[in-house]
Amino acid sequence: MEAYFDNSATTRVLDSVKELVVKVMTEDYGNPSSKHRRGMEAEQYVRQAASDIAKTLKVKDKEILFTSGGTESNNLALIGTALANQRAGKHIISTRIEHASVYNPLAFLEQQGFEVTYLPVDGEGHISLEELKKSLRPDTILVSVMYVNNEMGAIEPVEEIGALIHQENPKTLFHVDAIQAYGKLVIRPKKQGIDLLSVSAHKIHGPKGVGFLYIDEKVKIKPLLYGGGQQRDLRSGTENVPGIAGLGLAAREMYTDHQKKMDHILALKDHMIEEMENLEGVTVNSRRGMDSAPQIVSASFLGVRSEVLLHALEDKGIYVSSGSACSSNHPAISGTLQAIGVKRELLDSTLRFSFGLFNTMEEVDYCIQTLKELLPMLRRYRRM
């Protein structure tokens, strides 16, 4: 048996999405900026995708901007709004458990003279609203908070955060990295006070290399890419029409019978947590139910290095992650695990198991049985 439990790194594309992408690449391949029929057909795919995505969020079509993925969406949200609003202030607030595609743009902005406050989190991975309130200042122009942590699945209280920000300083913008949240949670930016929202297609069974940034129509933002003026001058460059079409369809599919899909994924997560908690020397860092994201289980295995266990599982056809795949070329002890207070001896012994629409309960049981066989052997080997 093979079990792919690395869906937070990337997902298998839905068959319907694959077929649409191939059709657009080989049949409806026009440039959406062209004035002839082929161009207008291509433009219709872009319009349809924007409409489908906007419906899932209950926002306007024109508030959806297509990008190359989550990293670009985060960069544009942070750098674009900071540069556009710096006359109002140069203070930004974020957290200590953000993804590198948020941390590194913030580091760049600090080099440009901006000041960034990084909020700590508790053992559950949540920020303190009181700490956020204390950190807000008249010159705070932007707050950026990850909706779902990509390593251990903590869900931040986004609606409460949005309400607090706009109550304390209505001009402060609220950006949410929703790359692990979109498709799994019901998100309503207008209701939740979200001004900017980043999403990536390949986390929701769509194609790689495409994503979107929701930008509230009132937000002032500067583009990062200049050229032909596509997408209302906000993101120049010929649109990735096959990818955009695939993203739109994946979004529509994810939010069709959404609760049923999430009940399935949540059942897998809860079953894995329940079984793992019965294994000797295993500490589960994620929470059951909707106290954490439905698709992520983080677990620490005492006495076994994460890389060793990852490859031992791989040999059995089970694929997992030892952290964020997006930064796997730069291995380091996870800042998220340190921030939530994971014991030092477990920091390099933690794996992430993440689920998608194609996973089954039989795969979870196979994984648990494999762990029961592997862990004692690997611990004995380490002691030798």
Side-chain angles (χ1 to χ4, degrees):
M1 177 180 283
E2 183 171 293
Y4 180 80
F5 291 139
D6 200 14
N7 288 276
S8 285
T10 197
T11 53
R12 171 183 153 190
V13 172
L14 294 167
D15 289 342
S16 58
V17 171
K18 176 194 71 175
E19 291 165 6
L20 178 60
V21 170
V22 171
K23 180 178 186 296
V24 177
M25 292 177 72
T26 59
E27 298 177 25
D28 303 326
Y29 47 80
N31 186 321
S33 295
S34 297
K35 300 303 181 185
H36 49 64
R37 179 169 58 84
R38 286 289 190 194
M40 288 186 285
E41 290 170 349
E43 183 183 18
Q44 184 54 39
Y45 280 109
V46 176
R47 290 179 180 272
Q48 184 63 54
S51 175
D52 288 340
I53 292 167
K55 287 175 183 174
T56 69
L57 297 170
K58 305 297 183 188
V59 300
K60 297 177 181 179
D61 298 7
K62 67 179 182 179
E63 294 176 312
I64 304 300
L65 182 82
F66 294 108
T67 68
S68 63
T71 293
E72 184 187 341
S73 293
N74 282 339
N75 272 258
L76 178 57
L78 297 168
I79 299 174
T81 55
L83 296 180
N85 295 276
Q86 59 184 319
R87 287 187 179 180
K90 286 197 167 186
H91 181 234
I92 300 170
I93 299 173
S94 192
T95 82
R96 291 181 183 169
I97 60 169
E98 299 299 313
H99 189 271
S101 62
V102 167
Y103 271 137
N104 288 333
L106 291 177
F108 166 77
L109 288 171
E110 286 181 293
Q111 293 172 1
Q112 308 306 307
F114 289 83
E115 179 187 353
V116 182
T117 298
Y118 295 95
L119 299 175
V121 295
D122 61 19
E124 302 288 320
H126 301 137
I127 69 165
S128 161
L129 293 177
E130 189 60 35
E131 286 294 320
L132 171 60
K133 185 175 181 179
K134 290 178 183 176
S135 300
L136 286 166
R137 308 186 324 212
D139 63 336
T140 304
I141 57 171
L142 177 66
V143 176
S144 181
V145 176
M146 176 182 275
Y147 204 138
V148 167
N149 180 263
N150 57 302
E151 291 188 49
M152 44 83 69
I155 302 176
E156 297 299 333
V158 164
E159 188 164 347
E160 291 89 339
I161 293 170
L164 175 61
I165 292 168
H166 295 307
Q167 176 184 325
E168 294 296 313
N169 189 348
K171 294 183 179 180
T172 300
L173 297 175
F174 182 29
H175 166 246
V176 172
D177 174 350
I179 291 164
Q180 297 292 347
Y182 183 77
K184 286 81 177 179
L185 306 180
V186 175
I187 304 174
R188 297 288 181 261
K190 304 293 186 184
K191 179 184 177 185
Q192 295 171 295
I194 299 170
D195 300 299
L196 303 112
L197 184 95
S198 301
V199 173
S200 181
H202 74 107
K203 310 295 188 180
I204 59 166
H205 300 281
K208 296 177 182 64
V210 64
F212 72 84
L213 177 65
Y214 157 76
I215 309 172
D216 186 280
E217 60 183 339
K218 299 187 297 293
V219 169
K220 187 166 64 172
I221 186 168
K222 282 192 172 183
L224 300 184
L225 300 176
Y226 294 87
Q230 289 89 344
Q231 298 199 74
R232 305 180 306 281
D233 289 326
L234 284 176
R235 203 267 187 183
S236 290
T238 299
E239 295 91 338
N240 173 9
V241 183
I244 290 170
L247 166 56
L249 180 55
R252 191 164 77 236
E253 293 275 9
M254 286 299 293
Y255 282 101
T256 299
D257 296 323
H258 181 254
Q259 190 59 54
K260 182 179 179 181
K261 289 182 173 75
M262 290 310 104
D263 286 345
H264 167 69
I265 291 177
L266 186 60
L268 299 177
K269 181 189 84 163
D270 284 353
H271 181 55
M272 178 169 277
I273 290 177
E274 182 179 0
E275 293 296 323
M276 279 189 173
E277 287 177 338
N278 293 324
L279 299 178
E280 183 179 355
V282 177
T283 302
V284 179
N285 304 310
S286 304
R287 300 294 172 257
R288 299 191 197 192
M290 290 308 296
D291 287 337
S292 69
Q295 80 276 20
I296 296 174
V297 174
S298 169
S300 302
F301 301 86
L302 184 65
V304 183
R305 289 186 60 234
S306 55
E307 188 174 351
V308 172
L309 182 53
L310 183 151
H311 290 301
L313 289 170
E314 180 188 4
D315 288 342
K316 301 293 185 179
I318 300 169
Y319 300 94
V320 301
S321 172
S322 57
S324 172
C326 304
S327 57
S328 60
N329 291 328
H330 307 281
I333 296 298
S334 164
T336 294
L337 298 180
Q338 294 181 71
I340 65 172
V342 171
K343 295 178 181 178
R344 172 175 288 186
E345 63 267 27
L346 297 179
L347 288 174
D348 192 30
S349 301
T350 300
L351 293 179
R352 179 187 68 187
F353 304 75
S354 51
F355 310 107
L357 297 182
F358 295 105
N359 289 125
T360 66
M361 199 65 78
E362 289 74 23
E363 291 173 346
V364 174
D365 288 334
Y366 172 62
C367 181
I368 294 298
Q369 183 58 41
T370 303
L371 286 169
K372 288 179 180 178
E373 296 168 2
L374 286 176
L375 289 174
M377 179 180 64
L378 294 174
R379 285 169 180 147
R380 284 197 302 269
Y381 177 78
R382 184 172 184 177
R383 289 194 293 268
M384 291 174 61

